[in-house]
Amino acid sequence: MPESERIDKRSLRYAGRREELLDALTRYVIDNGVGEVTVRQLAKAVGVSHASLLNHFESKENLLSEVIENMRSESIPIAVPMEAGIDPATVLTAWWTERTTPEVLPRFRVMVEIYALALGDRERYGRFLDRFVGDWIEALETGLRQAGCPEEDVSSVATLLLSQMRGLSMDLLATGDRARVDRAFGLFVDGFAAHARNWSVPS
């Protein structure tokens, strides 16, 4: 049979099941990170051909973009819900507890890796920066408005919350010192709660 007529059986593994292929790639990236991994290595890891993976995603940048979107529902909420009558500090504590479990924290590690890629090569990966900063700022701003944060402070408070929580998450990833980092988070939340008591909850 001529080479051009051969069918690569690996290319058929996820034929018509693109979502399953994306889920497999997402699991691999969460477990192994991105680093210097190539499209060819990713294809081998999930059991398809290099050509098949490029046929689905065209480039590593597009592949990572879809992996991020696949993790989006668990990593970036539409809003951090701080509805009227709910203590914002309680909401943040629940958020911290949920997103720093051993099962979820590796997703943040992947985000940090891709964020570093974007900072180092904005031409190839710069489109990811808005997702890592802008999407989260928007979610926090929505919640802060619901909690009564003055409009003139919404953007700066959202920025402070994001930077503090990401910094502590990175510390936890780097050291694994849960007790120390949790205490630091508690101090941060106490200060935030004291500040938030001065807000007037919208009627």
Side-chain angles (χ1 to χ4, degrees):
M1 178 183 296
E3 183 70 26
S4 61
E5 294 182 12
R6 291 180 182 174
I7 298 176
D8 185 343
K9 293 182 180 180
R10 293 184 302 163
S11 298
L12 298 177
R13 180 174 181 182
Y14 292 100
R17 298 183 296 164
R18 193 173 187 280
E19 289 186 6
E20 291 182 33
L21 174 58
L22 183 57
D23 285 342
L25 288 164
T26 301
R27 289 193 299 272
Y28 178 83
V29 168
I30 290 172
D31 291 340
N32 299 277
V34 289
E36 299 299 320
V37 68
T38 65
V39 173
R40 194 174 299 278
Q41 290 169 327
L42 288 169
K44 181 179 180 181
V46 298
V48 299
S49 71
H50 176 248
S52 177
L53 203 58
L54 285 177
N55 182 57
H56 280 292
F57 300 102
E58 297 183 357
S59 68
K60 180 179 176 179
E61 293 80 16
N62 286 342
L63 189 156
L64 291 179
S65 179
E66 296 211 31
V67 165
I68 290 171
E69 290 301 317
N70 203 35
M71 294 192 293
R72 185 183 180 88
S73 62
E74 296 185 25
S75 61
I76 303 177
I78 296 175
V80 177
M82 303 183 194
E83 290 89 351
I86 299 178
D87 179 13
T90 300
V91 174
L92 292 179
T93 299
W95 181 94
W96 173 260
T97 301
E98 176 186 345
R99 285 170 171 76
T100 58
T101 64
E103 295 76 25
V104 176
L105 197 59
R107 293 174 178 264
F108 178 72
R109 185 196 67 233
V110 173
M111 296 296 183
V112 171
E113 282 193 68
I114 301 177
Y115 186 82
L117 285 174
L119 290 177
D121 190 345
R122 288 175 182 262
E123 184 174 346
R124 292 181 65 192
Y125 299 103
R127 58 179 159 164
F128 298 124
L129 294 178
D130 284 343
R131 299 179 185 184
F132 292 126
V133 179
D135 285 356
W136 262 111
I137 291 292
E138 183 178 348
L140 286 164
E141 286 179 346
T142 299
L144 288 167
R145 289 190 181 96
Q146 293 170 347
C149 180
E151 186 60 36
E152 63 270 20
D153 294 335
V154 165
S155 179
S156 57
V157 173
T159 300
L160 177 63
L161 290 176
L162 183 62
S163 62
Q164 288 285 345
M165 298 178 80
R166 281 187 170 170
L168 290 170
S169 296
M170 290 180 68
D171 189 326
L172 182 58
L173 273 174
T175 67
D177 192 342
R178 165 67 70 175
R180 176 180 59 82
V181 176
D182 278 350
R183 287 196 300 271
F185 176 78
L187 289 173
F188 161 64
V189 168
D190 287 346
F192 171 72
H195 179 73
R197 292 189 190 104
N198 296 319
W199 297 346
S200 297
V201 178
S203 56

